[in-house]
Amino acid sequence: MNRTEGLVQRKHVVKENSDGSLKENQDADDKKNDKIFDDGDSKEPRLTLMEEVLLLGLKDKEGYTSFWNDCISSGLRGCILIELALRGRIELERIGMRRKGLLSRKVIVKSDTPTGDVLLDEALKHMKDTDPPETVQSWIEYLSGETWNPMKLKYQLKNVRERLAKNLVEKGVLTTEKQNFLLFDMTTHPLTDNGIKGRLVKKVQEAALRRSITDVAHADKRSLALLMLTHSADVLENAFGPLSDEDYELATRRVRALLDLDFEAEAMRPEACDIMWAVFAAFTK
């Protein structure tokens, strides 16, 4: 899953107490984490990390991703793990005295409260039902169906791109069409709302150009995750392409600085999202 080469190519376990008090606190945390996602202008549809990464990868008029992109599938699974973590549903097991590395620590379900997103809830159920727990890298492989273990194939999330595209159709961002490709027909999803994608592209550009993005202790987690995930899914060029040469150089340099960070050390910071750093580590391994 190495994404460090060719960064951008310019083209000119929680248990409930008997009195239920802990569950009440957990429910409050769930609502708080979900509210963070829901905040903003209610007039514009809010997109998940998965939807944002897919939207950047889709060709506007053609309505499908590049046939040459073999990174987006695993990249979207990484999005799912980070989205669940940011919503307070999963975390990594405690380090303990043996001080396991990020890629050796298991994913623990903090809360199984449904998120309301079918893909997120499907992945969350798989994690809850799995004993013993698995690592972040294993879950990326299992959810992608990239495993030789037939017992793990049941964890594969199928038709992820199509399901995310349908979500974007429902949110008014894309439409659905049928296109003929010589021997077969394919469902495509061309862009209908240029404004939403334009603002998404600008958000990725601004995240990379913002000097504070490399001060990850104070950087916005969702912006940081989006920037790194677009790189992992090999769709970052679609956002950086319109930049001036000077801004392009600066944005690329900032992303390289993020890739050079010590992910283990960053995950140890107070309030850090350890799942996020483990996903980054898995993609740069």
Side-chain angles (χ1 to χ4, degrees), residues 238-256:
N238 296 348
F240 282 4
L243 289 171
S244 67
D245 288 346
E246 183 178 356
D247 284 345
Y248 187 94
E249 290 282 337
L250 177 58
T252 302
R253 192 162 60 247
R254 293 264 166 82
V255 175
R256 289 192 182 279

Side-chain angles (χ1 to χ4, degrees), residues 33 58 65 76 80 100-101 103 108 125-126 149 155 167 181 183 188 193 195 198 205 222 225 244 251 255 260-261:
N33 288 317
L58 286 172
T65 57
L76 291 172
I80 289 172
K100 292 182 180 179
L103 297 182
I108 304 300
K125 185 178 186 302
H126 287 326
N149 187 341
Y155 296 135
N167 288 349
F181 288 84
L183 300 177
T188 60
D193 193 325
Q205 292 173 349
R222 186 167 287 274
S244 67
V255 175
D260 288 338
L261 290 172

Side-chain angles (χ1 to χ4, degrees), residues 6 57 65 85 87 118 121 125 127 137 145 203-204 214 244 265-267:
T65 57
R87 296 195 188 199
V118 176
D121 291 340
K125 185 178 186 302
M127 294 175 196
Q137 187 162 0
K203 180 166 71 170
V204 175
T214 53
S244 67
E266 297 301 335

Side-chain angles (χ1 to χ4, degrees), residues 14-25:
V14 177
K15 295 184 179 179
E16 179 182 346
N17 290 338
S18 58
D19 62 358
S21 59
L22 183 56
K23 187 175 188 305
E24 290 179 2
N25 291 336

Side-chain angles (χ1 to χ4, degrees), residues 203-220:
K203 180 166 71 170
V204 175
Q205 292 173 349
E206 289 179 345
L209 294 171
R210 196 179 303 128
R211 178 178 297 179
S212 61
I213 195 66
T214 53
D215 180 14
V216 295
H218 303 98
D220 174 66

Side-chain angles (χ1 to χ4, degrees), residues 128-148:
K128 179 189 175 187
D129 294 344
T130 301
D131 188 26
E134 299 281 0
T135 64
V136 160
Q137 187 162 0
S138 293
W139 275 119
I140 292 173
E141 294 170 357
Y142 296 161
L143 297 175
S144 302
E146 297 175 356
T147 175
W148 293 103

